[in-house]
Amino acid sequence: MSQPVDREPSVGRVYTVGRVAGFAGITVRTLHHYDEIGLLVPGERTHAGHRRYTDADLDRLQQILFYRQLGFPLDEVAALLDDPDADPRAHLRRQHDLLTARIEKLREMAAAVEHAMEARRMGINLTPEEKFEVFGDFDPDEHAEEVERRWGDTEAYRQSQRRTASYTKEDWKRINGELDAIHDRMAALLAEGVPADSRAAADVAEEHRRFITGAYYDCGHELHACLGEMYVTDERFTATYEAIRPGLARYMRDAIAANTARHTAS
């Protein structure tokens, strides 16, 4: 861990412990603790012994808080930062790898939220073991309150409640597979550069609408268009489609809109 260093007063900027706490959004007590365990020893002190932090100290604090946010215990943070073989580029690479892993986990969680909200998966008749097999470590029941608050007074919600209550584990696996296949077909069109308002994209959008109608609730074209808008206005839906392929959320919205116009034009 870093140790206090005797030095001449810095000619650069120095900051009080209170200002540093304000910058970092942490408490003064936390900074005192970091000093006491040698994790972040202020570079300077006044004659009265008051802590003064330099720009270099703030750089180290930023590194500490990054690793803490990712869940590293303090002793591991100290080992990472005080590794004599590490250099700033190594820290950046490590942080990039950790952030990439965290982003992927968040995308997986967002995908699970999308399934739970779009399918209105309330009252799923599965055991805890079966839920884990179908949905992974995401529990769709955790979003029951939000779904009911947003759509509980609609006929679509009531229809979905009635249908999904009887679904088995195998039903859910089949439904998830069908939806994933539709998403993959739409993503392939996007990758090929096929316009969202093309006949091919609209056909897949119509397939998506019919899937919802068959699996959950009667989804007319106007309602389907509202869902399409939600894919770009609700960040959880957006994250789901962007995880499949960048740009897919907007492409889905536009393809659904084109399909809606095709079927509702007078």
Side-chain angles (χ1 to χ4, degrees):
M1 298 184 182
S2 59
Q3 300 296 325
V5 178
D6 293 330
R7 66 180 73 174
E8 293 297 322
S10 173
V11 297
R13 293 173 296 181
V14 294
Y15 310 92
T16 66
V17 66
R19 289 195 66 191
V20 173
F23 292 157
I26 59 178
T27 66
V28 169
R29 177 175 294 185
T30 295
L31 288 171
H32 287 179
H33 179 61
Y34 289 172
D35 184 6
E36 290 164 1
I37 65 175
L39 180 60
L40 179 66
V41 177
E44 298 185 8
R45 292 182 186 270
T46 67
H47 291 298
H50 298 304
R51 297 169 175 84
R52 293 293 183 266
Y53 293 84
T54 66
D55 287 334
D57 297 329
L58 295 187
D59 289 342
R60 183 177 174 91
L61 177 58
Q62 186 178 41
Q63 300 288 332
I64 292 169
L65 297 180
F66 172 83
Y67 288 117
R68 289 294 289 156
Q69 188 173 28
L70 291 176
F72 282 72
L74 292 177
D75 57 344
E76 291 186 22
V77 174
L80 286 167
L81 295 184
D82 295 328
D83 180 356
D85 296 325
D87 59 32
R89 288 176 298 179
H91 279 301
L92 288 173
R93 286 193 297 269
R94 182 185 294 119
Q95 290 177 1
H96 180 270
D97 292 342
L98 291 169
L99 284 172
T100 299
R102 174 63 61 88
I103 289 169
E104 182 59 31
K105 180 62 177 177
L106 290 174
R107 284 177 173 169
E108 292 174 1
M109 293 172 63
V113 171
E114 190 273 345
H115 283 303
M117 295 180 66
E118 182 174 338
R120 317 299 201 267
R121 288 175 180 154
M122 317 292 9
I124 298 173
N125 189 26
L126 301 179
T127 67
E129 293 78 10
E130 288 173 331
K131 284 185 181 180
F132 185 84
E133 184 177 346
V134 174
F135 300 111
D137 58 2
F138 170 78
D139 184 356
D141 288 343
E142 292 181 1
H143 298 272
E145 183 178 346
E146 178 183 358
V147 173
E148 185 171 7
R149 183 175 65 252
R150 295 180 68 175
W151 297 293
D153 60 349
T154 66
E155 177 58 26
Y157 173 87
R158 289 186 287 271
Q159 277 189 341
S160 183
Q161 281 274 76
R162 291 191 295 269
R163 294 184 188 181
T164 59
S166 63
Y167 284 176
T168 65
K169 176 183 69 174
E170 295 307 318
D171 289 329
W172 285 113
K173 285 186 174 181
R174 172 182 54 79
I175 289 168
N176 287 347
E178 290 174 1
L179 182 59
D180 289 343
I182 292 171
H183 289 162
D184 288 344
R185 284 193 285 277
M186 192 70 87
L189 292 176
L190 171 60
E192 293 166 7
V194 178
D197 60 356
S198 67
R199 177 64 178 267
D203 284 346
V204 178
E206 177 65 12
E207 185 181 358
H208 182 263
R209 185 192 67 82
R210 290 177 179 175
F211 164 81
I212 294 172
T213 296
Y216 302 115
Y217 53 86
D218 295 339
C219 183
H221 290 95
E222 291 80 4
L223 178 55
H224 197 216
C226 291
L227 288 177
E229 286 297 328
M230 190 161 59
Y231 296 161
V232 297
T233 59
D234 188 311
E235 61 184 13
R236 292 168 294 188
F237 283 91
T238 303
T240 297
Y241 286 110
E242 295 303 292
I244 298 171
R245 185 170 187 84
L248 185 58
R250 187 172 297 276
Y251 190 83
M252 280 285 295
R253 189 274 309 275
D254 292 346
I256 290 171
N259 184 59
T260 299
R262 181 176 68 171
H263 284 87
T264 59
S266 56

